Structures are given as C-alpha cells and as structure tokens.
Amino acid sequence: MTDRQRFTDRVVLVTGAARGQGRSHALRFAAEGADLILCDLPDGTTVGSVPYDLGSEEELAETARLVREAGRRVVARPADVRDAGQLAELVDAGLSELGRIDVLSANAGIASISTIAEMSDEMWDDMIAVNLSGVFRSMRAVVGPMSEQGYGRIVATSSVVGRQGSPNIGHYVAAKWGVIGLVKSLALEVADRGITVNAVCPTSVDTPMIDNEPFKRLFLPDAEEIRQEDVVEAYRALNPIPVPWLEPGDVSDAVLFLASDQARYITGDALPVALGWNARNAA
Ligand SMILES: NC(=O)c1ccc[n+]([C@@H]2O[C@H](COP(=O)([O-])OP(=O)(O)OC[C@H]3O[C@@H](n4cnc5c(N)ncnc54)[C@H](O)[C@@H]3O)[C@@H](O)[C@H]2O)c1
C-alpha cells in the first residue's frame, strides 16, 4: 500500500498485463486507487518469430486476482493488440463495467534478434505489427471515450533504443522510434481535449523479455555455458549508472507520474528511465 492515492476511482487500461512491467503497472495503479482493464495475448495465439514464451491467460488471471486483492475492480480478458476487434471488445467491456477509461498504458511488446541482413520478413512484420501497429490500435481504441470525457492520459512504452540505433534489433529500434512519432503526433491532435500523450523509454528491465537464453547469448555469443553473473556484468557495462537492469517498478514510477495530474502539462514527450544510457543521445 502506498500513502499516495493519485488515481482514486480512475480507470486504467494496461495492455500486456499478464506479467513483467504490465503487471507491475497494474498493481501500482491499483495500490493508488484505480480500477483496471487488463489484456494480454489469448492462449494459443502465436507470434512466430519470438524466441521465448509470451504471457498466458493464467498469468493474466493472476494479475487480475492481485488487483482484486488490492480492493479494486478489474475487467481482464485476452486481447491481441494486433486485432482491432478484440481491442474494441475489451474497451466496450471495460466501459460497460467500469464506466470510463482515464489512462492507457500501451505496454504490450515483443523482442527478437537478428541483423537486418539476415532478418526474415516474418520477424520484421511481427515486430511492426505488435510493437508499432499494436500501440497505434490501442491508442485509437481509447481516444474516442477519452475525448468524450474531456480527460485522458496515454503512456506508451518505447525504449532507450527508441532514440538510438542498435545492432541486432533494428526492427525493434524502428518500431520503438515509431512509437515516439505516434506519441508526438497524437499529443498534438488531442491537446485541446484534456488528453496528454507521452512515452517512457526504459533501458533493460528484469522481465522474461530479456531473461531468456537467446537474449543472454546476444551478449555472450561464444560462451559454451552462460553463467548468470557473466550476463549481469555485461548488462551493467551498458549503463553509466552501474546497475545491470531496472526492476519493473522503476518503470512503473515513471508511468504513474506521466499518468498523474502532476504531469498534466507534460505532453508529446519521451521520458527515459535508462540509468544514464540516454545521456549519450544527441539531445
Ligand atoms: N524488458 C526490457 O528490457 C525492456 C526494455 C525497454 C522496453 N521494454 C518494453 O516494455 C514493454 C513490456 O515488456 P516486458 O519487459 O514487461 O516484457 P514481457 O515479455 O514480460 O511482457 C510483455 C507482455 O506483452 C504481451 N504481449 C506480447 N504481444 C502481445 C500482443 N500482440 N497482444 C497483447 N499482449 C501481448 C506478452 O504476452 C507479455 O505478457 C514492451 O513494450 C517492451 O518492448 C522492455
């Protein structure tokens, strides 16, 4: 429980809420008084080029249970952010049970690894479909209700590589740069309707997205056996503040700030939570 209650009776929609950062954001919003609308991938839906397991309906149900345990109401249902129809059903269910949508955390995302020269069409298309078009579809699904209310906060999850190039993940970088372009454009379109639109740009976060063999091997391609301590040091070396990675709650702090009324005059921007990696950006 927190002593702050910045979101009492606000309704917050989080995509990709089964685990990782999405679950953390949902529970932090609930702890500050919000009701939640949650989604993650329907079981059996694949994203073929992703080399690790994605979230499950069981994990989504567990996030929902934890929200209820915090004393808040929740509408949780499987929805693929690539599917406008599933998103519309989620929004309709959320509006009919909870009455409004005040905040969108467009958090769902995937990662995969390839140089551009060797990248398959499938890997490129999956990435753009989830990490860029999925954010667009999530935003579009809530702009109508937020405009009618004259109030909204949209926080999209980009990345520290949404403002820098990076080898081996060019498709991810392109999608995350695109998210910032979407954020800035939508911010201008809705600025006179009480809606703000921003992004967070995390460096590495300790979630299943990076805690898997293919991602560890990216750092230590020649190692016969990957020891956890070797990966810790490789990650730590990336960050000026010598910490290997963020915890999901570190990103939640930024998401909740941007969704709060403390940030009511901040829109169209991208906030790094990046252990100083962002200090290497040109501006
Ligand atoms: N982990 C990192 O190092 C890191 C760093 C910067 C940004 N990010 C971004 O943070 C966000 C959250 O990732 P995470 O670290 O919690 O990873 P995660 O893999 O633990 O969680 C992502 C969630 O999104 C869900 N998802 C994927 N595709 C979906 C789809 N089409 N529809 C609905 N849900 C879908 C997954 O099932 C999963 O539950 C992502 O946008 C990711 O790109 C992650």
Side-chain angles (χ1 to χ4, degrees), residues 15-23 25 39-42 45 47 52-56 59 79-83 106-111 129-131 134-135 157-161 172 176 200-210 235 245-246 248 251:
T15 67
R19 67 183 195 195
Q21 295 175 61
R23 177 180 286 179
H25 303 343
C39 77
D40 208 289
L41 273 179
T45 310
V47 188
Y52 55 90
D53 290 338
L54 292 168
S56 66
E59 290 170 308
D80 185 332
V81 296
R82 295 172 296 182
D83 186 321
N107 161 83
I110 57 168
V130 177
N131 285 18
V135 174
T157 302
S158 177
S159 165
V160 73
V161 296
Y172 184 88
K176 294 298 190 184
V200 286
C201 296
T203 185
S204 308
V205 189
D206 187 15
T207 70
M209 180 175 281
I210 63 166
Y235 271 95
W245 39 59
L246 304 167
V251 184

Side-chain angles (χ1 to χ4, degrees), residues 141-209:
V142 300
V143 165
M146 286 181 176
S147 298
E148 279 172 32
Q149 293 162 189
Y151 182 92
R153 300 276 183 265
I154 295 176
V155 185
T157 302
S158 177
S159 165
V160 73
V161 296
R163 301 169 85 181
Q164 289 182 9
S166 178
N168 301 307
I169 52 169
H171 56 334
Y172 184 88
V173 170
K176 294 298 190 184
W177 277 67
V179 166
I180 295 175
L182 266 175
V183 158
K184 288 182 179 291
S185 301
L186 182 59
L188 293 171
E189 291 176 1
V190 298
D192 61 354
R193 299 182 210 164
I195 304 172
T196 66
V197 190
N198 291 288
V200 286
C201 296
T203 185
S204 308
V205 189
D206 187 15
T207 70
M209 180 175 281

Side-chain angles (χ1 to χ4, degrees), residues 78-100:
D80 185 332
V81 296
R82 295 172 296 182
D83 186 321
Q86 291 180 16
L87 282 172
E89 284 173 22
L90 176 76
V91 164
D92 287 349
L95 285 172
S96 78
E97 283 193 46
L98 302 174
R100 49 192 290 125

